Amino acid sequence: MKEAHGDLVSAVDFGPDYLVTGYEDANVGVWTLPAGQQIHNMLGHNGGVTGVQLQMNLAATSSYDATVRLWDVEEGTCLKTFNEPDSFARCVAFHGMRIVSGDFGGNVHFWDISFSPTGK
């Protein structure tokens, strides 16, 4: 067991090289695998993180701040913010060149994204 953060861990996802963690205090952590060393604490959400999905070098996160964010996990930067118009963002997933999220109002949202096979 490893202490990850000073607040509730609310979401996790991992791939071969990275672990991404979302926290109730709105932070998003990026960890290297298999070493388990945190390399980034990404700021940007204004509400607790409700979902995390990792695809290659990209992560998508959903939050109680009614946004979905697309992150570059290698650089630790937010690439784009998508706004949920009516309700808190509850969950998030990648579907090919799209990010799909669900909200507390019972809606599913689709956003097209573009990136190379390396995640850039």
Side-chain angles (χ1 to χ4, degrees), residues 30-60:
V30 179
W31 305 72
T32 60
L33 292 177
Q37 182 170 2
Q38 187 171 2
I39 57 171
H40 299 296
N41 184 46
M42 302 185 297
L43 306 175
H45 282 298
N46 295 314
V49 176
T50 59
V52 171
Q53 180 78 52
L54 182 64
Q55 180 170 291
M56 295 177 278
N57 300 337
L58 298 174

Side-chain angles (χ1 to χ4, degrees), residues 7-11 22-28 44-52 61-69 81-92 101-105:
D7 203 351
L8 176 111
V9 179
S10 56
Y23 305 104
E24 191 64 25
D25 68 0
N27 289 293
V28 178
H45 282 298
N46 295 314
V49 176
T50 59
V52 171
T61 57
S62 56
S63 171
Y64 288 124
D65 68 5
T67 67
V68 169
R69 290 180 179 263
T81 302
F82 304 95
N83 293 303
E84 295 273 6
D86 300 318
S87 193
F88 299 136
R90 180 64 183 110
C91 55
V92 66
S101 69
D103 69 22
F104 278 79

